[in-house]
Amino acid sequence: MEQTNVPHVMFLPFPAQGHIKPMMKLAELLNQAGSQVTFVNTDHNHDRLMSHTDLTSFHDRSPNFLFRSIPDCLRPNKARSLSNFKELLDTLQAVAKPAFRQLLISTSMRPTCIIADGIMSFAAIDVAEELGIPVVAFRTHNASCTWTNFHLSKLVEAGEVPFPDENLDKYITCIPGYENVLRSRDLPSICRVENPGYSFLDFFIREASTMTRASALILNTFHELEAPVISRLNSIFTKIYTIGPLHALYKSRTKDLMISQSDSSNGVGLWKEDRSCMTWLDSQPLRSVIYVSFGSLVNLTRLQTLEFLHGLVNSGKPFLWVVRPDLIVGEFGIDPMELEMVTKERGFIISWAPQEEVLAHPAVGGFLTHSGWNSTLESINAGVPMICWPQIADQPVNSRCVSEVWKIGFDMKDTCDRSTVEKLVRDLMDSNKREEIMKSTDEFARLANDSVKQGGSSYINLEKLIEDIRSMSP
Ligand SMILES: O=c1ccn([C@@H]2O[C@H](COP(=O)(O)OP(=O)(O)O[C@H]3O[C@H](CO)[C@@H](O)[C@H](O)[C@H]3O)[C@@H](O)[C@H]2O)c(=O)[nH]1
C-alpha cells in the first residue's frame, strides 16, 4: 500500500443517522485540516446519502474525501428501522469484518488511522491489529452512558440486571459516581431483559470490552458538561478527546477557515429536509413553539401518537412535529392526513426538519424529544429546555441527566398520557418552573458555545486530535 505524509483517516460508523451524522462532521473537520478521508457506509446508507447530498458543494468544501461502502446483507427493500434492528445487527456481524478487511487491503493509500464507531469494534479492531493500523474509538453516546455501558457486566454480576423485582425506582449501586442518580428505569434500554444472555445486552457487553483495545476515545460531548465522569473514563482510556457539540464545533471551525456551508446539515443526510417549517416558525411569537421530534429510529404506536396529539393540542401551545414517513405506515400508525386535520389550527407537521436550524429559531421555546444524544446536545447548544420521552438505547440515561443532573428539562419516562403531556408542556413553556430551568439551560448553552470557540475545550481537543493523527503519519 502506498504511503505519503498526508494523513489518511478511515471512518467506520454504525449504519444509523445518529451515528453517521456526528462522524461525518468530524470527518469533514479532519479533511479540512489536511487529512485524506475515506468514509465507509453500508451500501444501503451510501445510496441514501448520495441521493440527498449535493456532491459538488460537498467536494468544494471537503476535497480529498472518498466515500466507500460495504454490504450489510439485509434484503435491499427491507427498511433499516428499529423493527429490523436485530436482523441488521446479525447480518452486519456476519459480513462487516471481512468486507472491511478487504477494503483496507485493497485501498491504494494505507490509512494512518481508523476512527471506528465504538459499536463497530467487532468489525474494526481485530483487522486493524492484524494490519498494524491504530484505531481510535468514537462513541456516539455521551460520557455518562459510555461509563454506564462499561459497567454492564458488573450490573449482571451484581444481580441488578435483569431487574431483580418490579420496583424500577431502586437506585443502582455498582456504577461509581451514579449511586444516587441512576435507578433501574434509567439504565440503557438493553438492560430491560428477562435473562442476561439476551443478544443485545450480550452484544453491548462484548463491544464495550473490545472497544477498550482502541488507542483513544472520541466523545461528542464537552468537558464542562460531564467533567467528573470524563475523568472516571480516564481509568479506561488514557487519551480521551471530548469534541462536542460537534455540529457547533463544525460551524465554528468552518467559519474560522471561511469555508461556506450549504444548509443546517451541510447538505449531507439520510433524509430529505423539508424547510417549509421555517416560514411557519417566522410567523410564530417569540419562544412560543414546542418542537416535537423522536429522532430517526423511535416508533410510536397509534395510541401513543394520539396521547401526544391530544396533550399537545390541550396545552394550547403551537407545536412543530416531525412525523417520519416510516412512522405512520406501520400496522398501528396514524395517517398523516388525520394528524394534519386535528392539528391544523395550532400545529405544523413535517416529515424531516432542518433540526439544528429549528432549535436555533427564536420562536422555539421547548423541545419534546426522545433524548437521542445528538438531539439533546443540539438542544443544549441552542439553549432550548426539554421534555424527555426516552425509549431505546442510551435515551433513558440521557433523560435522567437532563432532569436530575443538569436540570434543563423534565423526564416523562415510562408514561405516555395526554394529561402528563399537557401539564409538562405548560410547565416547560410558561410556569415559574420554566424560570428555574432556564437558568441552567442558559448557563449550559453558554458553556457549550464557549467550548467550540477558539481556545475552548472542544476546540483545543480537536486540535490535539489533528496533531496526534499527524504524528502517526510515517
Ligand atoms: O427531523 C429531523 C429529526 C432529526 N434530525 C437529526 O437527526 C439526528 C438524530 O439523532 P439523535 O437525536 O441522536 O437520535 P437517533 O437518530 O434516534 O440516534 C440514535 O443514535 C444516537 C447516537 O448514538 C443515540 O443517542 C440515540 O439514542 C439513537 O436512537 C439529530 O442530529 C437531528 O438533528 C434532523 O435533522 N431532522
mmCIF file of all heavy atoms in Angstrom, residues 94 190 231 270 402 435:
data_model
loop_
_atom_site.group_PDB
_atom_site.id
_atom_site.type_symbol
_atom_site.label_atom_id
_atom_site.label_comp_id
_atom_site.label_asym_id
_atom_site.label_seq_id
_atom_site.Cartn_x
_atom_site.Cartn_y
_atom_site.Cartn_z
ATOM 1 N N ALA A 94 -22.051 -10.726 10.614
ATOM 2 C CA ALA A 94 -21.543 -11.797 9.752
ATOM 3 C C ALA A 94 -20.661 -11.259 8.630
ATOM 4 O O ALA A 94 -19.682 -11.900 8.244
ATOM 5 C CB ALA A 94 -22.722 -12.586 9.176
ATOM 6 N N ILE A 190 -31.241 -1.700 26.812
ATOM 7 C CA ILE A 190 -30.820 -3.099 26.673
ATOM 8 C C ILE A 190 -30.827 -3.831 28.014
ATOM 9 O O ILE A 190 -30.775 -5.053 28.046
ATOM 10 C CB ILE A 190 -29.388 -3.206 26.068
ATOM 11 C CG1 ILE A 190 -28.482 -2.156 26.684
ATOM 12 C CG2 ILE A 190 -29.410 -3.129 24.557
ATOM 13 C CD1 ILE A 190 -27.032 -2.415 26.470
ATOM 14 N N SER A 231 -13.422 12.172 33.772
ATOM 15 C CA SER A 231 -12.183 11.799 34.474
ATOM 16 C C SER A 231 -12.263 10.347 34.949
ATOM 17 O O SER A 231 -11.255 9.650 34.991
ATOM 18 C CB SER A 231 -11.838 12.792 35.579
ATOM 19 O OG SER A 231 -12.642 12.574 36.676
ATOM 20 N N LEU A 270 -29.405 11.385 5.608
ATOM 21 C CA LEU A 270 -30.116 10.212 5.091
ATOM 22 C C LEU A 270 -31.554 10.551 4.706
ATOM 23 O O LEU A 270 -32.222 9.782 4.051
ATOM 24 C CB LEU A 270 -30.114 9.088 6.132
ATOM 25 C CG LEU A 270 -28.757 8.493 6.527
ATOM 26 C CD1 LEU A 270 -28.931 7.349 7.515
ATOM 27 C CD2 LEU A 270 -27.998 7.993 5.302
ATOM 28 N N VAL A 402 -30.601 14.981 31.985
ATOM 29 C CA VAL A 402 -31.274 16.254 31.664
ATOM 30 C C VAL A 402 -32.074 16.742 32.870
ATOM 31 O O VAL A 402 -31.986 17.911 33.268
ATOM 32 C CB VAL A 402 -32.198 16.087 30.420
ATOM 33 C CG1 VAL A 402 -33.194 17.228 30.304
ATOM 34 C CG2 VAL A 402 -31.370 15.991 29.148
ATOM 35 N N GLU A 435 -38.661 29.354 34.673
ATOM 36 C CA GLU A 435 -37.604 30.288 35.069
ATOM 37 C C GLU A 435 -36.406 29.556 35.661
ATOM 38 O O GLU A 435 -35.264 29.821 35.308
ATOM 39 C CB GLU A 435 -38.144 31.260 36.121
ATOM 40 C CG GLU A 435 -38.701 32.525 35.513
ATOM 41 C CD GLU A 435 -39.417 33.344 36.541
ATOM 42 O OE1 GLU A 435 -38.840 33.573 37.625
ATOM 43 O OE2 GLU A 435 -40.576 33.736 36.263
#
